[in-house]
Amino acid sequence: MIPPSSLYHYSHSHDASSFKSFWFFIPTTLALLTSLFILFYVYYTSIIFTIHHQHHNLQHTLHFKSSSPTSHNNHSEFIKSHTFKLDGVGLQSQRGLSPQPSSKESNPRGNALAYGSQKFEENNNVFHDEDIFLEDYKEMNKTFKIYVYPHKKDDPFANVLFPMKTEPSGNYASESYFKKALMNSHFITKDPTEADLFFMPFSIASLRHDRRVGVGGIKDFIKDYVQNINQNYPYWNRTGGADHFYVACHSVGRTAMDKAPEVKFNAIQVVCSSSYFLTGYITHKDACLPQIWPRNDNPSNLVSSHRKKLAFFAGAANSPLRRTVVERWKNDSEIFVHRGRLKTPYADELLGSKFCLHVKGYEVNTARIGDSLYYGCVPVIVADYYDLPFVDVLNWKSFSVVVTTLDIPFLKKILKGIVSSGEYLRLHRNVLKVREHFQWHSPPLDFDVFYMVMYELWLRRSSIPILSI
C-alpha cells in the first residue's frame, strides 16, 4: 500500500509533467499550423502568378501581331530599356567593370535573350564597358609607374635579366617582346618610391636554354633571386610581394615558382599558360599573356565573303583532345583538320576559313587564337578552364565561339547554326575590331598587345596597405 505522502508526491509530479507537456504541445502545434499556412500561401500565389503570366504573354503575342510598325518600334525600345544586361566571359576585374550599354550593332538573334520568364539583353560590344576602359586607359598612361630591379653589367646572368639584343621569334616571343617594349616605355621609373608595381625581369625562356641552369635548375634560380631582392631591397616586405610581377610564356614557368611559394601565391604572374584548373595560377590576381607570333606583313583580303571553308585546324596531335578532334573530323568535307605540318600555306587556310579551331595541346594556350584573329578568322576555343587573354576587358562572346570539350561531336551543327542565323557576320566584324589588341609592334602602338597587358597590370595594382619602412 502506497503511503498517502508518497501518493500525494506522485500525483503532484504527474500533474506537473502533464502541465509541461501541455505547454510544449501548444508552440509545436502553432509552428505546424504556420508551416502549413506558408505552404498553402506559396502554392496559391504561384498559381495566380502562372495564370497572370500566361495571360500577359497571350496579350503580348496578340498585341505584337496586330501592332503597326510604329507601335512595334516603340515596343522594341521598351524592351531595350527594361532588360538586364549580360556580362562577357569571366568575372569582372577588381576594378569593378560595370555591365555594358547596348551595342550599336544589330543582333541577328533579336534584341534580347530568353532566360526563363525574363529577357536579358545581349552585349555585342567587344568590350565589357568601353567607356570605363578608355577612361582608365588614359589614366594608366598618365600615372602608371613600374620599377625594374636592376643588376650589374658584369652580372654573370645578365643574359637572363635583360632583353636579348636579337629579335625574338617563335611561340614564346611574347615574353621577350613585352620585356623589350617595357624597358623602352614611359612606364619605367628609376625612383622605387613612386612605383605602383615592381618587375622581376628574369626570363624563363632564357633560363631554360642556359646550360648553367636548364629546366632542372630554374626553381633554385628563382628562389635565390627572390631571396636576394628580399635581402637587398625593402619593397618586397611591404606587401609580401603582392605589388611584384614577372612575365613568362613558356609552360615551364608554371612550375618555376615551386620553391618560391611567396611568388606563386602573392606576386602577379603574367603567363601564357593561364589555366584556372591548375594550381599556382589565380584568376584576377594573375594575368594571361597572349601567345602571339611576331609578324611584319598585314593581310589585305580579310573579308568574310572569301571564306569558303566552314572550319580549319592544323597541328600536332599532342593531346587526347586534339586526337579526338582529328579522328572525329578528319574525313569531313566542311571541317578541315590536319595532323602535323600542312602542304599548303598556313596563312591561306586561315584566310579561307570562317572558323579556326583553337584546341588544347600540352597546355590550354597556343598561338592559334592570335593566328585566327590576325587573319580575320573567328576563333573557336576548345580548351576547358582557359583564362582567356584580357578577359577583364574584352567580351569574348562577341568575337569568338567558346565551347566545351564535350561539344566536339556537335561542332558542325553549332557552327552551321551560327552561319545560318547570320550571327557569323557579327562575330567576323568584331574579330576585325579586336585584331589590333593581339599584335606586337616595335615600338608599341596604342591599344596593341603591349598596352593591353599593361592595362591588365594596371587593374591589378596592389590594394594591400604598404607598411612604413
Side-chain angles (χ1 to χ4, degrees):
M1 182 174 179
I2 301 175
S5 59
S6 299
L7 184 63
Y8 170 79
H9 178 72
Y10 170 78
S11 176
H12 180 73
S13 300
H14 178 72
D15 291 343
S17 177
S18 300
F19 183 76
K20 290 180 180 179
S21 299
F22 174 76
W23 282 108
F24 176 79
F25 175 76
I26 291 177
T28 304
T29 304
L30 289 174
L32 180 61
L33 291 174
T34 302
S35 300
L36 291 174
F37 175 76
I38 292 173
L39 290 174
F40 175 77
Y41 176 79
V42 171
Y43 173 74
Y44 180 73
T45 53
S46 64
I47 293 177
I48 294 176
F49 175 79
T50 303
I51 295 173
H52 171 74
H53 182 66
Q54 291 174 347
H55 177 68
H56 173 74
N57 284 345
L58 178 61
Q59 285 185 326
H60 167 72
T61 304
L62 293 174
H63 171 73
F64 182 80
K65 288 182 178 180
S66 61
S67 62
S68 64
T70 303
S71 63
H72 170 69
N73 290 336
N74 292 336
H75 179 76
S76 297
E77 291 301 319
F78 176 83
I79 290 294
K80 287 182 180 179
S81 62
H82 287 77
T83 51
F84 295 96
K85 296 178 175 63
L86 291 176
D87 291 327
V89 181
L91 301 174
Q92 300 299 330
S93 70
Q94 66 181 25
R95 182 72 179 168
L97 298 180
S98 61
Q100 300 310 297
S102 305
S103 172
K104 295 180 181 179
E105 294 188 342
S106 61
N107 175 13
R109 291 187 294 179
N111 291 326
L113 294 174
Y115 187 79
S117 61
Q118 298 286 338
K119 289 183 181 295
F120 297 86
E121 188 175 349
E122 186 179 17
N123 174 24
N124 291 327
N125 199 320
V126 297
F127 294 99
H128 293 309
D129 193 311
E130 187 172 5
D131 293 335
I132 287 181
F133 168 68
L134 294 176
E135 180 182 351
D136 284 353
Y137 186 89
K138 291 179 182 179
E139 183 67 20
M140 174 196 73
N141 271 302
K142 291 179 181 178
T143 63
F144 194 28
K145 295 299 178 184
I146 291 176
Y147 179 78
V148 181
Y149 281 109
H151 62 275
K152 296 179 180 179
K153 292 183 179 180
D154 59 348
D155 190 305
F157 288 99
N159 62 307
V160 301
L161 298 173
F162 197 79
M164 295 180 292
K165 294 181 180 180
T166 58
E167 286 294 324
S169 61
N171 277 328
Y172 312 117
S174 290
E175 178 183 314
S176 297
Y177 257 73
F178 176 83
K179 287 180 66 175
K180 294 188 74 169
L182 176 62
M183 298 301 291
N184 295 310
S185 72
H186 65 279
F187 297 109
I188 296 296
T189 178
K190 294 184 179 181
D191 182 3
T193 62
E194 67 176 17
D196 297 293
L197 294 178
F198 295 79
F199 179 44
M200 299 178 289
F202 53 77
S203 169
I204 297 296
S206 297
L207 287 169
R208 174 174 172 262
H209 293 292
D210 194 308
R211 294 183 178 181
R212 298 168 296 176
V213 182
V215 174
I218 291 179
K219 298 177 184 179
D220 287 316
F221 182 94
I222 301 301
K223 181 186 70 172
D224 294 340
Y225 180 85
V226 174
Q227 288 179 351
N228 180 62
I229 64 172
N230 194 344
Q231 293 171 0
N232 293 287
Y233 298 90
Y235 313 113
W236 179 278
N237 291 329
R238 298 185 308 172
T239 63
D243 54 0
H244 287 55
F245 75 97
Y246 76 93
V247 177
C249 197
H250 198 283
S251 58
V252 173
R254 186 162 47 80
T255 59
M257 307 301 143
D258 285 352
K259 293 186 178 181
E262 63 273 31
V263 177
K264 180 186 296 185
F265 297 113
N266 294 348
I268 302 168
Q269 303 177 101
V270 184
V271 294
C272 290
S273 54
S274 55
S275 173
Y276 49 85
F277 177 75
L278 302 170
T279 58
Y281 181 87
I282 304 173
T283 306
H284 301 295
K285 174 185 78 69
D286 303 325
C288 178
L289 176 69
Q291 187 172 340
I292 299 172
W293 279 71
R295 292 183 172 91
N296 296 320
D297 59 336
N298 194 23
S300 57
N301 53 338
L302 298 176
V303 295
S304 60
S305 59
H306 293 169
R307 302 175 184 274
K308 305 303 179 185
K309 296 178 181 178
L310 179 63
F312 164 74
F313 169 79
N318 55 6
S319 70
L321 184 59
R322 288 190 179 183
R323 288 191 287 272
T324 299
V325 170
V326 171
E327 288 301 315
R328 177 63 182 84
W329 298 107
K330 63 182 179 181
N331 297 319
D332 194 82
S333 60
E334 294 179 273
I335 296 180
F336 293 82
V337 295
H338 300 267
R339 180 173 183 170
R341 290 186 175 274
L342 286 169
K343 295 181 180 179
T344 56
Y346 183 57
D348 291 348
E349 297 292 342
L350 295 168
L351 287 168
S353 303
K354 291 181 173 63
F355 300 95
C356 295
L357 307 184
H358 167 94
V359 186
K360 177 186 180 298
Y362 289 123
E363 297 287 344
V364 294
N365 59 292
T366 74
R368 283 168 182 78
I369 286 182
D371 294 342
S372 300
L373 297 174
Y374 185 77
Y375 290 103
C377 186
V378 176
V380 178
I381 300 160
V382 192
D384 295 346
Y385 315 114
Y386 188 7
D387 190 36
L388 292 164
F390 316 138
V391 71
D392 295 313
V393 185
L394 297 179
N395 173 23
W396 278 81
K397 289 182 179 179
S398 70
F399 61 90
S400 70
V401 180
V402 182
V403 298
T404 68
T405 55
L406 297 177
D407 291 322
I408 291 175
F410 313 106
L411 275 177
K412 181 188 281 190
K413 182 178 180 180
I414 293 171
L415 299 182
K416 293 191 76 171
I418 292 173
V419 173
S420 62
S421 69
E423 186 180 0
Y424 165 74
L425 296 177
R426 175 183 66 88
L427 292 172
H428 183 262
R429 284 195 301 269
N430 286 338
V431 163
L432 301 185
K433 291 179 182 179
V434 300
R435 286 178 73 248
E436 64 173 334
H437 306 307
F438 292 84
Q439 296 181 48
W440 291 108
H441 299 96
S442 183
L445 301 177
D446 257 334
F447 305 109
D448 70 359
V449 63
F450 169 72
Y451 280 101
M452 293 296 286
V453 174
M454 293 301 298
Y455 182 77
E456 289 278 25
L457 285 169
W458 190 80
L459 289 177
R460 286 158 173 77
R461 301 183 319 284
S462 177
S463 59
I464 300 176
I466 296 177
L467 302 177
S468 58
I469 298 174

